[in-house]
Amino acid sequence: MRWTRRNFLQATGGLAAMTGLGLLARHIIRGNASFSEWRALPGMILTLKIDTDSPENKYVDLVARYEGKTQTLGSLHGARELEIEIPFVSTTQESYELSAIVYDATGAFQSEPVEVLAQPFSFGL
């Protein structure tokens, strides 16, 4: 097919319309999510603070990273502060990283990870 001036104008007009409607570019959510501690044990309850506009309209995924794998542990409905019980993840390593991904239909951002000690420690003399 040979491009004519009319085909070129139709294509560029279509791209301009898609850009104007936001269909080509992903919107970046501005915000911050942070846990109350940087290290935890399974079973502890940590507070996740979400600092963004209308956090009630967002969703939160809890993601564990260990042994080169990524596993989604659960999903929550967003709020300014969430009380999260740290889950136990069976791993051969001493710890795993737990982070929260806050997202909506237009984009997402991630919290700083929390180191969760996964192996039981024995204390003795």
Side-chain angles (χ1 to χ4, degrees):
M1 177 180 155
R2 187 165 185 235
W3 280 79
T4 63
R5 183 176 180 207
R6 182 178 185 156
N7 297 122
F8 181 77
L9 290 175
Q10 287 175 343
T12 55
L15 285 175
M18 288 174 59
T19 303
L21 294 173
L23 299 177
L24 290 180
R26 298 269 307 166
H27 177 70
I28 297 173
I29 301 175
R30 302 273 185 224
N32 187 18
S34 60
F35 285 97
S36 58
E37 299 288 332
W38 64 275
R39 182 179 271 175
L41 293 170
M44 285 180 64
I45 296 176
L46 295 183
T47 302
L48 175 67
K49 293 182 182 180
I50 301 173
D51 182 26
T52 185
D53 57 334
S54 66
E56 298 81 19
N57 297 334
K58 310 282 191 274
Y59 295 95
V60 178
D61 280 349
L62 297 176
V63 177
R65 287 189 182 85
Y66 59 96
E67 298 172 0
K69 296 186 280 185
T70 301
Q71 178 182 359
T72 302
L73 301 176
S75 296
L76 304 167
H77 195 72
R80 287 267 177 227
E81 290 188 0
L82 294 170
E83 299 291 324
I84 297 173
E85 182 176 350
I86 303 299
F88 175 77
V89 174
S90 178
T91 179
T92 59
Q93 296 178 338
E94 291 181 0
S95 65
Y96 69 91
E97 286 185 349
L98 178 73
S99 60
I101 299 175
V102 181
Y103 66 95
D104 63 5
T106 61
F109 63 90
Q110 184 173 349
S111 71
E112 290 291 323
V114 173
E115 180 184 13
V116 179
L117 302 176
Q119 296 296 325
F121 291 95
S122 299
F123 297 102
L125 298 174

Short mmCIF file of all heavy atoms in Angstrom, two decimals, residues 42-99:
data_model
loop_
_atom_site.label_atom_id
_atom_site.label_comp_id
_atom_site.label_asym_id
_atom_site.label_seq_id
_atom_site.Cartn_x
_atom_site.Cartn_y
_atom_site.Cartn_z
N PRO A 42 7.18 -13.09 61.26
CA PRO A 42 5.84 -13.54 60.89
C PRO A 42 4.89 -13.47 62.09
O PRO A 42 5.26 -13.80 63.21
CB PRO A 42 6.06 -14.99 60.45
CG PRO A 42 7.48 -15.05 60.04
CD PRO A 42 8.20 -14.09 60.94
N GLY A 43 3.69 -13.00 61.85
CA GLY A 43 2.70 -12.85 62.91
C GLY A 43 2.63 -11.45 63.50
O GLY A 43 1.65 -11.11 64.16
N MET A 44 3.65 -10.63 63.28
CA MET A 44 3.61 -9.25 63.78
C MET A 44 2.59 -8.45 62.98
O MET A 44 2.28 -8.78 61.84
CB MET A 44 4.98 -8.57 63.63
CG MET A 44 6.01 -9.01 64.62
SD MET A 44 7.60 -8.18 64.37
CE MET A 44 7.18 -6.48 64.71
N ILE A 45 2.09 -7.40 63.59
CA ILE A 45 1.17 -6.51 62.90
C ILE A 45 1.88 -5.18 62.66
O ILE A 45 2.33 -4.53 63.59
CB ILE A 45 -0.12 -6.30 63.72
CG1 ILE A 45 -0.86 -7.62 63.84
CG2 ILE A 45 -1.00 -5.24 63.08
CD1 ILE A 45 -2.09 -7.58 64.69
N LEU A 46 1.99 -4.82 61.37
CA LEU A 46 2.62 -3.57 60.98
C LEU A 46 1.57 -2.65 60.37
O LEU A 46 0.59 -3.09 59.80
CB LEU A 46 3.72 -3.80 59.95
CG LEU A 46 4.95 -4.58 60.39
CD1 LEU A 46 5.96 -4.65 59.26
CD2 LEU A 46 5.58 -3.97 61.61
N THR A 47 1.83 -1.36 60.48
CA THR A 47 0.96 -0.36 59.88
C THR A 47 1.54 0.07 58.55
O THR A 47 2.71 0.40 58.45
CB THR A 47 0.84 0.87 60.81
OG1 THR A 47 0.34 0.44 62.08
CG2 THR A 47 -0.10 1.90 60.23
N LEU A 48 0.71 0.04 57.52
CA LEU A 48 1.09 0.52 56.19
C LEU A 48 0.39 1.85 55.99
O LEU A 48 -0.84 1.92 55.99
CB LEU A 48 0.69 -0.47 55.10
CG LEU A 48 0.92 -0.02 53.66
CD1 LEU A 48 2.41 0.10 53.38
CD2 LEU A 48 0.28 -0.98 52.69
N LYS A 49 1.16 2.92 55.83
CA LYS A 49 0.61 4.25 55.60
C LYS A 49 0.68 4.56 54.11
O LYS A 49 1.75 4.45 53.51
CB LYS A 49 1.35 5.30 56.40
CG LYS A 49 1.17 5.16 57.89
CD LYS A 49 1.89 6.24 58.64
CE LYS A 49 1.70 6.03 60.13
NZ LYS A 49 2.37 7.05 60.91
N ILE A 50 -0.44 4.97 53.53
CA ILE A 50 -0.51 5.30 52.12
C ILE A 50 -0.75 6.80 52.00
O ILE A 50 -1.78 7.30 52.45
CB ILE A 50 -1.61 4.51 51.41
CG1 ILE A 50 -1.36 3.02 51.56
CG2 ILE A 50 -1.71 4.90 49.95
CD1 ILE A 50 -2.47 2.15 51.06
N ASP A 51 0.20 7.49 51.40
CA ASP A 51 0.12 8.94 51.25
C ASP A 51 -0.07 9.27 49.77
O ASP A 51 0.88 9.38 49.02
CB ASP A 51 1.39 9.59 51.79
CG ASP A 51 1.33 11.10 51.71
OD1 ASP A 51 0.21 11.66 51.72
OD2 ASP A 51 2.40 11.73 51.63
N THR A 52 -1.33 9.38 49.36
CA THR A 52 -1.67 9.73 47.99
C THR A 52 -3.08 10.33 48.01
O THR A 52 -3.77 10.26 49.02
CB THR A 52 -1.60 8.51 47.06
OG1 THR A 52 -1.83 8.93 45.73
CG2 THR A 52 -2.60 7.46 47.44
N ASP A 53 -3.47 10.93 46.90
CA ASP A 53 -4.82 11.47 46.84
C ASP A 53 -5.82 10.30 46.70
O ASP A 53 -5.60 9.39 45.93
CB ASP A 53 -4.97 12.46 45.69
CG ASP A 53 -4.60 11.86 44.35
OD1 ASP A 53 -3.81 10.90 44.33
OD2 ASP A 53 -5.13 12.33 43.34
N SER A 54 -6.88 10.35 47.44
CA SER A 54 -7.96 9.36 47.50
C SER A 54 -7.44 7.92 47.58
O SER A 54 -7.63 7.13 46.67
CB SER A 54 -8.90 9.51 46.30
OG SER A 54 -8.25 9.20 45.09
N PRO A 55 -6.79 7.56 48.71
CA PRO A 55 -6.30 6.18 48.85
C PRO A 55 -7.44 5.17 48.97
O PRO A 55 -7.23 3.98 48.77
CB PRO A 55 -5.47 6.22 50.13
CG PRO A 55 -6.01 7.35 50.90
CD PRO A 55 -6.47 8.36 49.89
N GLU A 56 -8.65 5.65 49.24
CA GLU A 56 -9.80 4.74 49.35
C GLU A 56 -10.16 4.14 47.99
O GLU A 56 -10.81 3.10 47.93
CB GLU A 56 -11.02 5.49 49.90
CG GLU A 56 -10.83 6.03 51.31
CD GLU A 56 -10.06 7.35 51.35
OE1 GLU A 56 -9.98 8.06 50.30
OE2 GLU A 56 -9.52 7.66 52.41
N ASN A 57 -9.73 4.77 46.90
CA ASN A 57 -10.02 4.27 45.56
C ASN A 57 -8.90 3.40 45.00
O ASN A 57 -8.93 3.03 43.84
CB ASN A 57 -10.26 5.44 44.61
CG ASN A 57 -11.47 6.25 45.02
OD1 ASN A 57 -12.38 5.74 45.65
ND2 ASN A 57 -11.47 7.52 44.67
N LYS A 58 -7.90 3.09 45.81
CA LYS A 58 -6.76 2.29 45.38
C LYS A 58 -6.89 0.87 45.94
O LYS A 58 -7.67 0.60 46.84
CB LYS A 58 -5.46 2.91 45.87
CG LYS A 58 -5.30 4.38 45.59
CD LYS A 58 -4.92 4.65 44.16
CE LYS A 58 -4.52 6.08 43.94
NZ LYS A 58 -5.57 6.99 43.66
N TYR A 59 -6.07 -0.01 45.39
CA TYR A 59 -5.97 -1.38 45.86
C TYR A 59 -4.52 -1.65 46.23
O TYR A 59 -3.61 -1.02 45.70
CB TYR A 59 -6.44 -2.37 44.79
CG TYR A 59 -7.90 -2.23 44.49
CD1 TYR A 59 -8.33 -1.44 43.43
CD2 TYR A 59 -8.86 -2.84 45.28
CE1 TYR A 59 -9.67 -1.29 43.15
CE2 TYR A 59 -10.20 -2.69 45.02
CZ TYR A 59 -10.60 -1.92 43.94
OH TYR A 59 -11.93 -1.76 43.69
N VAL A 60 -4.30 -2.59 47.15
CA VAL A 60 -2.96 -2.90 47.64
C VAL A 60 -2.72 -4.39 47.49
O VAL A 60 -3.53 -5.20 47.95
CB VAL A 60 -2.80 -2.48 49.12
CG1 VAL A 60 -1.42 -2.84 49.63
CG2 VAL A 60 -3.08 -1.01 49.30
N ASP A 61 -1.62 -4.76 46.84
CA ASP A 61 -1.18 -6.14 46.76
C ASP A 61 0.04 -6.30 47.64
O ASP A 61 0.97 -5.50 47.57
CB ASP A 61 -0.80 -6.53 45.33
CG ASP A 61 -2.00 -6.85 44.46
OD1 ASP A 61 -3.12 -6.98 45.00
OD2 ASP A 61 -1.82 -6.97 43.24
N LEU A 62 0.05 -7.35 48.47
CA LEU A 62 1.22 -7.69 49.26
C LEU A 62 2.04 -8.71 48.48
O LEU A 62 1.52 -9.76 48.10
CB LEU A 62 0.82 -8.26 50.62
CG LEU A 62 0.06 -7.32 51.53
CD1 LEU A 62 -0.36 -8.03 52.79
CD2 LEU A 62 0.91 -6.11 51.86
N VAL A 63 3.31 -8.39 48.24
CA VAL A 63 4.16 -9.21 47.39
C VAL A 63 5.40 -9.63 48.16
O VAL A 63 6.06 -8.80 48.79
CB VAL A 63 4.57 -8.42 46.12
CG1 VAL A 63 5.51 -9.23 45.26
CG2 VAL A 63 3.35 -8.01 45.34
N ALA A 64 5.71 -10.94 48.13
CA ALA A 64 6.91 -11.48 48.76
C ALA A 64 7.92 -11.84 47.67
O ALA A 64 7.56 -12.42 46.65
CB ALA A 64 6.58 -12.71 49.59
N ARG A 65 9.19 -11.48 47.93
CA ARG A 65 10.27 -11.82 47.00
C ARG A 65 11.29 -12.67 47.76
O ARG A 65 11.82 -12.24 48.78
CB ARG A 65 10.94 -10.57 46.47
CG ARG A 65 10.09 -9.84 45.49
CD ARG A 65 10.86 -8.72 44.80
NE ARG A 65 9.99 -8.01 43.90
CZ ARG A 65 9.18 -7.02 44.26
NH1 ARG A 65 9.16 -6.62 45.50
NH2 ARG A 65 8.40 -6.44 43.37
N TYR A 66 11.55 -13.88 47.24
CA TYR A 66 12.50 -14.78 47.86
C TYR A 66 12.96 -15.80 46.83
O TYR A 66 12.22 -16.14 45.90
CB TYR A 66 11.89 -15.50 49.07
CG TYR A 66 10.66 -16.32 48.73
CD1 TYR A 66 10.75 -17.68 48.47
CD2 TYR A 66 9.41 -15.73 48.64
CE1 TYR A 66 9.63 -18.42 48.15
CE2 TYR A 66 8.29 -16.45 48.32
CZ TYR A 66 8.41 -17.80 48.08
OH TYR A 66 7.29 -18.53 47.75
N GLU A 67 14.21 -16.22 46.97
CA GLU A 67 14.80 -17.25 46.11
C GLU A 67 14.61 -16.95 44.62
O GLU A 67 14.38 -17.83 43.81
CB GLU A 67 14.23 -18.62 46.44
CG GLU A 67 14.50 -19.08 47.85
CD GLU A 67 13.77 -20.34 48.23
OE1 GLU A 67 13.02 -20.89 47.39
OE2 GLU A 67 13.94 -20.78 49.37
N GLY A 68 14.62 -15.68 44.25
CA GLY A 68 14.45 -15.30 42.86
C GLY A 68 13.01 -15.36 42.37
O GLY A 68 12.76 -15.21 41.18
N LYS A 69 12.05 -15.60 43.25
CA LYS A 69 10.64 -15.68 42.88
C LYS A 69 9.87 -14.51 43.47
O LYS A 69 10.28 -13.92 44.46
CB LYS A 69 10.01 -16.99 43.40
CG LYS A 69 10.59 -18.25 42.80
CD LYS A 69 9.83 -19.46 43.25
CE LYS A 69 10.27 -19.86 44.63
NZ LYS A 69 9.66 -21.11 45.10
N THR A 70 8.75 -14.22 42.86
CA THR A 70 7.83 -13.21 43.36
C THR A 70 6.48 -13.86 43.55
O THR A 70 5.97 -14.52 42.64
CB THR A 70 7.71 -12.04 42.38
OG1 THR A 70 9.01 -11.47 42.18
CG2 THR A 70 6.78 -10.97 42.90
N GLN A 71 5.89 -13.69 44.74
CA GLN A 71 4.61 -14.31 45.05
C GLN A 71 3.67 -13.27 45.64
O GLN A 71 4.03 -12.56 46.57
CB GLN A 71 4.81 -15.45 46.05
CG GLN A 71 3.54 -16.14 46.47
CD GLN A 71 3.80 -17.23 47.50
OE1 GLN A 71 4.92 -17.48 47.88
NE2 GLN A 71 2.74 -17.86 47.94
N THR A 72 2.46 -13.19 45.10
CA THR A 72 1.45 -12.30 45.66
C THR A 72 0.77 -13.02 46.82
O THR A 72 0.20 -14.10 46.66
CB THR A 72 0.41 -11.91 44.59
OG1 THR A 72 1.09 -11.28 43.50
CG2 THR A 72 -0.62 -10.96 45.17
N LEU A 73 0.81 -12.42 48.01
CA LEU A 73 0.28 -13.04 49.21
C LEU A 73 -1.15 -12.64 49.50
O LEU A 73 -1.86 -13.36 50.20
CB LEU A 73 1.17 -12.69 50.41
CG LEU A 73 2.63 -13.10 50.29
CD1 LEU A 73 3.40 -12.61 51.49
CD2 LEU A 73 2.74 -14.61 50.16
N GLY A 74 -1.59 -11.51 49.01
CA GLY A 74 -2.96 -11.07 49.27
C GLY A 74 -3.23 -9.71 48.67
O GLY A 74 -2.32 -8.99 48.28
N SER A 75 -4.51 -9.38 48.61
CA SER A 75 -4.94 -8.08 48.09
C SER A 75 -5.86 -7.43 49.10
O SER A 75 -6.66 -8.11 49.76
CB SER A 75 -5.68 -8.25 46.76
OG SER A 75 -4.81 -8.76 45.79
N LEU A 76 -5.75 -6.12 49.22
CA LEU A 76 -6.56 -5.35 50.17
C LEU A 76 -7.13 -4.13 49.46
O LEU A 76 -6.59 -3.65 48.48
CB LEU A 76 -5.71 -4.88 51.34
CG LEU A 76 -4.96 -5.94 52.14
CD1 LEU A 76 -3.95 -5.28 53.05
CD2 LEU A 76 -5.95 -6.74 52.96
N HIS A 77 -8.22 -3.62 50.01
CA HIS A 77 -8.78 -2.36 49.53
C HIS A 77 -8.05 -1.23 50.25
O HIS A 77 -7.77 -1.33 51.45
CB HIS A 77 -10.29 -2.32 49.82
CG HIS A 77 -11.00 -1.25 49.07
ND1 HIS A 77 -11.21 -1.32 47.72
CD2 HIS A 77 -11.52 -0.07 49.48
CE1 HIS A 77 -11.86 -0.24 47.33
NE2 HIS A 77 -12.05 0.54 48.37
N GLY A 78 -7.72 -0.18 49.56
CA GLY A 78 -6.89 0.89 50.10
C GLY A 78 -7.55 1.73 51.18
O GLY A 78 -8.77 1.82 51.27
N ALA A 79 -6.72 2.33 52.03
CA ALA A 79 -7.13 3.27 53.07
C ALA A 79 -5.88 4.07 53.47
O ALA A 79 -4.77 3.76 53.04
CB ALA A 79 -7.70 2.53 54.28
N ARG A 80 -6.06 5.12 54.27
CA ARG A 80 -4.90 5.92 54.70
C ARG A 80 -3.92 5.07 55.50
O ARG A 80 -2.72 5.17 55.34
CB ARG A 80 -5.34 7.10 55.56
CG ARG A 80 -5.99 8.19 54.80
CD ARG A 80 -4.98 9.24 54.38
NE ARG A 80 -5.69 10.23 53.58
CZ ARG A 80 -5.25 10.67 52.44
NH1 ARG A 80 -4.11 10.27 51.97
NH2 ARG A 80 -5.94 11.54 51.75
N GLU A 81 -4.44 4.23 56.42
CA GLU A 81 -3.60 3.35 57.23
C GLU A 81 -4.23 1.97 57.23
O GLU A 81 -5.42 1.82 57.46
CB GLU A 81 -3.48 3.86 58.66
CG GLU A 81 -2.64 5.11 58.78
CD GLU A 81 -2.38 5.49 60.22
OE1 GLU A 81 -2.85 4.77 61.14
OE2 GLU A 81 -1.70 6.50 60.44
N LEU A 82 -3.39 0.96 57.00
CA LEU A 82 -3.84 -0.42 57.02
C LEU A 82 -3.02 -1.19 58.04
O LEU A 82 -1.80 -1.05 58.10
CB LEU A 82 -3.65 -1.07 55.64
CG LEU A 82 -4.49 -0.53 54.50
CD1 LEU A 82 -4.00 -1.12 53.18
CD2 LEU A 82 -5.94 -0.88 54.71
N GLU A 83 -3.69 -2.00 58.85
CA GLU A 83 -3.01 -2.89 59.79
C GLU A 83 -2.83 -4.23 59.08
O GLU A 83 -3.80 -4.87 58.70
CB GLU A 83 -3.85 -3.07 61.06
CG GLU A 83 -4.09 -1.79 61.82
CD GLU A 83 -2.84 -1.24 62.46
OE1 GLU A 83 -2.00 -2.03 62.91
OE2 GLU A 83 -2.68 -0.01 62.47
N ILE A 84 -1.57 -4.65 58.91
CA ILE A 84 -1.27 -5.85 58.14
C ILE A 84 -0.54 -6.84 59.04
O ILE A 84 0.49 -6.50 59.65
CB ILE A 84 -0.40 -5.52 56.91
CG1 ILE A 84 -1.20 -4.61 55.97
CG2 ILE A 84 0.04 -6.78 56.21
CD1 ILE A 84 -0.42 -4.09 54.82
N GLU A 85 -1.08 -8.06 59.12
CA GLU A 85 -0.40 -9.13 59.84
C GLU A 85 0.60 -9.78 58.88
O GLU A 85 0.23 -10.22 57.79
CB GLU A 85 -1.39 -10.17 60.35
CG GLU A 85 -0.72 -11.26 61.16
CD GLU A 85 -1.70 -12.24 61.74
OE1 GLU A 85 -2.91 -11.99 61.69
OE2 GLU A 85 -1.24 -13.28 62.25
N ILE A 86 1.85 -9.83 59.30
CA ILE A 86 2.91 -10.35 58.43
C ILE A 86 2.73 -11.85 58.26
O ILE A 86 2.70 -12.59 59.24
CB ILE A 86 4.30 -10.04 59.02
CG1 ILE A 86 4.47 -8.54 59.24
CG2 ILE A 86 5.40 -10.59 58.14
CD1 ILE A 86 4.38 -7.71 58.00
N PRO A 87 2.60 -12.33 57.02
CA PRO A 87 2.39 -13.76 56.79
C PRO A 87 3.69 -14.56 56.87
O PRO A 87 4.77 -14.02 56.68
CB PRO A 87 1.80 -13.81 55.38
CG PRO A 87 2.34 -12.60 54.72
CD PRO A 87 2.49 -11.56 55.79
N PHE A 88 3.56 -15.84 57.15
CA PHE A 88 4.71 -16.75 57.13
C PHE A 88 4.85 -17.31 55.72
O PHE A 88 3.89 -17.78 55.13
CB PHE A 88 4.51 -17.90 58.12
CG PHE A 88 5.62 -18.91 58.05
CD1 PHE A 88 6.84 -18.65 58.64
CD2 PHE A 88 5.44 -20.11 57.39
CE1 PHE A 88 7.87 -19.57 58.57
CE2 PHE A 88 6.46 -21.05 57.32
CZ PHE A 88 7.68 -20.77 57.91
N VAL A 89 6.06 -17.26 55.19
CA VAL A 89 6.36 -17.82 53.87
C VAL A 89 7.48 -18.84 54.06
O VAL A 89 8.54 -18.52 54.62
CB VAL A 89 6.80 -16.72 52.88
CG1 VAL A 89 7.24 -17.32 51.57
CG2 VAL A 89 5.67 -15.74 52.65
N SER A 90 7.25 -20.05 53.63
CA SER A 90 8.24 -21.10 53.76
C SER A 90 9.33 -20.91 52.70
O SER A 90 9.06 -20.95 51.50
CB SER A 90 7.58 -22.47 53.59
OG SER A 90 8.55 -23.48 53.68
N THR A 91 10.55 -20.70 53.16
CA THR A 91 11.68 -20.47 52.26
C THR A 91 12.93 -21.08 52.87
O THR A 91 13.00 -21.29 54.08
CB THR A 91 11.88 -18.97 51.99
OG1 THR A 91 13.00 -18.80 51.15
CG2 THR A 91 12.07 -18.18 53.26
N THR A 92 13.90 -21.38 52.04
CA THR A 92 15.16 -21.93 52.53
C THR A 92 16.11 -20.82 52.99
O THR A 92 17.10 -21.10 53.63
CB THR A 92 15.85 -22.76 51.43
OG1 THR A 92 16.08 -21.93 50.29
CG2 THR A 92 14.98 -23.94 51.04
N GLN A 93 15.82 -19.59 52.65
CA GLN A 93 16.66 -18.47 53.06
C GLN A 93 16.27 -18.02 54.46
O GLN A 93 15.21 -18.38 54.98
CB GLN A 93 16.51 -17.32 52.08
CG GLN A 93 17.00 -17.64 50.69
CD GLN A 93 16.78 -16.49 49.72
OE1 GLN A 93 15.94 -15.63 49.96
NE2 GLN A 93 17.54 -16.49 48.64
N GLU A 94 17.11 -17.18 55.06
CA GLU A 94 16.84 -16.70 56.40
C GLU A 94 15.72 -15.66 56.43
O GLU A 94 15.07 -15.50 57.45
CB GLU A 94 18.10 -16.09 57.00
CG GLU A 94 19.18 -17.08 57.30
CD GLU A 94 20.41 -16.42 57.91
OE1 GLU A 94 20.40 -15.19 58.09
OE2 GLU A 94 21.36 -17.15 58.21
N SER A 95 15.52 -14.95 55.33
CA SER A 95 14.50 -13.91 55.30
C SER A 95 13.95 -13.74 53.90
O SER A 95 14.50 -14.27 52.94
CB SER A 95 15.07 -12.57 55.79
OG SER A 95 16.06 -12.12 54.91
N TYR A 96 12.85 -13.01 53.81
CA TYR A 96 12.30 -12.63 52.51
C TYR A 96 11.88 -11.17 52.58
O TYR A 96 11.78 -10.60 53.67
CB TYR A 96 11.13 -13.54 52.10
CG TYR A 96 9.86 -13.39 52.93
CD1 TYR A 96 8.87 -12.49 52.55
CD2 TYR A 96 9.64 -14.15 54.06
CE1 TYR A 96 7.72 -12.35 53.28
CE2 TYR A 96 8.48 -14.03 54.80
CZ TYR A 96 7.53 -13.13 54.40
OH TYR A 96 6.38 -13.00 55.14
N GLU A 97 11.68 -10.56 51.41
CA GLU A 97 11.26 -9.16 51.34
C GLU A 97 9.76 -9.09 51.09
O GLU A 97 9.25 -9.73 50.18
CB GLU A 97 11.98 -8.44 50.21
CG GLU A 97 13.41 -8.13 50.50
CD GLU A 97 14.04 -7.29 49.40
OE1 GLU A 97 13.42 -7.12 48.33
OE2 GLU A 97 15.15 -6.80 49.62
N LEU A 98 9.09 -8.29 51.89
CA LEU A 98 7.66 -8.05 51.72
C LEU A 98 7.47 -6.60 51.33
O LEU A 98 8.01 -5.70 51.98
CB LEU A 98 6.90 -8.34 53.02
CG LEU A 98 5.40 -8.08 53.01
CD1 LEU A 98 4.70 -9.14 52.17
CD2 LEU A 98 4.85 -8.06 54.41
N SER A 99 6.74 -6.36 50.25
CA SER A 99 6.47 -4.99 49.84
C SER A 99 5.00 -4.88 49.44
O SER A 99 4.34 -5.88 49.19
CB SER A 99 7.38 -4.55 48.70
OG SER A 99 7.20 -5.38 47.59
#
